[in-house]
Amino acid sequence: MRDGEMIAACSVAGSDSGGGAGIQADLKTFVALGIWGLTVVTAVTAQNTREVRGTWMLPPDAVRAQMEAVADDFFIGAWKTGMLGNAPIIRAVAGALPEGAALVIDPVMVSTSGHRLLAEDAVRDLADLLIPRAAVVTPNIPEAEVLSGMRVTTVEEMAEAGRRILDLGARAVVVKGGHLAGGAAIDLLVDREGEMRLSGERYPYPVHGSGCCFSAALTACLARGMPMREGFRAARKFIDTAIREAAGGPGPVRAVNPGGTIFRRL
């Protein structure tokens, strides 16, 4: 990095019109962590915390052009993928991603409200083209089940699923345990050195955008040069605050709040 150059991270993801997930949540997270946020929009969605009303995928050439534009002008410490949508976009991202890039993959497959965000026939392209280049993959339980090909109902099964995803070529996997029953929310990192478990409070309300926020926080940590396990710990602490300070609306689902208490003070 040149003297005085900003630390940047790039989110390759869909736009959430409700601001709670996708590139909007990623940018809020980057700002909160002192990172210059870049975006590559893969899709436009019409959604709020309750539902996804429509999705419109961008042409793969438009995705590639955005990636090339930001890569040509910024020092990008880490890249993050979220909603990729279909196989042609995955191929475009794989083709435009710089060699050796620090890549965080949030394998977004289904929205909080149950709307499918990744075509079923695109999972193989994700596994073959992007996961082998990932510094870390951050699936929730349903996503881990798809990628590992196994049911996950316990922390021990989370670890086995993580090892199976690791075998796809990623350098690390964080399996997020929020979907498991229990008093604490346990997240599990699996890498070539073994396992690292972190637990946090389970809050009594559903939250929209927590997966995006966590993976963006981990991306910011890696962009700053943190080792993976240190970044995992810092990102886990960050998302706990963002969920605790989640923004409530008229519906039952709250929106993750990467700004923490900032908005409460304004």
Side-chain angles (χ1 to χ4, degrees):
M1 189 190 321
R2 298 186 296 271
D3 289 344
E5 193 167 30
M6 67 187 73
I7 300 174
C10 183
S11 169
V12 183
S15 170
D16 175 357
S17 54
I23 57 173
Q24 285 83 353
D26 292 348
L27 284 175
K28 293 172 188 175
T29 300
F30 292 158
V31 168
L33 293 172
I35 298 293
W36 183 265
L38 308 169
T39 60
V40 170
V41 181
T42 60
V44 174
T45 71
Q47 66 174 296
N48 50 41
T49 59
R50 299 188 301 275
E51 61 182 339
V52 178
R53 298 183 180 181
T55 61
W56 297 267
M57 305 307 302
L58 265 69
D61 286 348
V63 174
R64 178 188 288 271
Q66 292 175 80
M67 292 183 68
E68 292 173 347
V70 296
D72 283 347
D73 196 37
F74 296 89
F75 171 81
I76 303 176
W79 296 73
K80 177 212 162 176
T81 62
M83 178 186 174
L84 297 178
N86 58 40
I89 287 179
I90 289 173
R91 296 181 196 126
V93 171
L97 186 71
E99 288 298 324
L103 174 63
V104 177
I105 295 178
D106 183 15
V108 175
M109 296 180 183
V110 179
S111 71
T112 303
S113 61
H115 188 93
R116 188 160 191 95
L117 300 176
L118 180 67
E120 291 186 33
D121 61 2
V123 175
R124 177 48 53 190
D125 289 271
L126 180 69
D128 290 346
L129 300 178
L130 286 180
I131 288 180
R133 300 174 66 180
V136 60
V137 186
T138 64
N140 58 29
I141 295 294
E143 293 159 351
E145 289 181 331
V146 172
L147 293 173
S148 67
M150 63 174 283
R151 285 278 293 156
V152 178
T153 60
T154 67
V155 176
E156 290 71 29
E157 289 171 348
M158 286 172 61
E160 175 58 25
R163 288 190 289 270
R164 292 190 185 189
I165 299 169
L166 202 66
D167 288 342
L168 296 175
R171 295 197 294 279
V173 179
V174 173
V175 182
K176 299 171 292 190
H179 286 79
L180 289 187
I186 297 175
D187 295 332
L188 177 68
L189 181 145
V190 181
D191 60 16
R192 308 298 173 183
E193 299 176 7
E195 301 172 13
M196 178 180 176
R197 299 184 186 187
L198 295 177
S199 63
E201 185 175 349
R202 188 181 295 276
Y203 294 93
Y205 43 80
V207 176
H208 175 61
S210 57
C212 300
C213 182
F214 169 79
S215 56
L218 185 52
T219 303
C221 291
L222 297 184
R224 288 192 171 279
M226 282 189 188
M228 182 62 65
R229 292 193 171 209
E230 182 181 343
F232 173 43
R233 189 180 298 278
R236 186 64 185 76
K237 182 177 180 181
F238 183 88
I239 189 59
D240 186 72
T241 300
I243 294 174
R244 185 178 67 244
E245 300 292 337
V253 180
R254 301 189 185 187
V256 68
N257 182 3
T261 59
I262 294 174
F263 297 115
R264 293 182 180 273
R265 295 199 301 265
L266 295 179

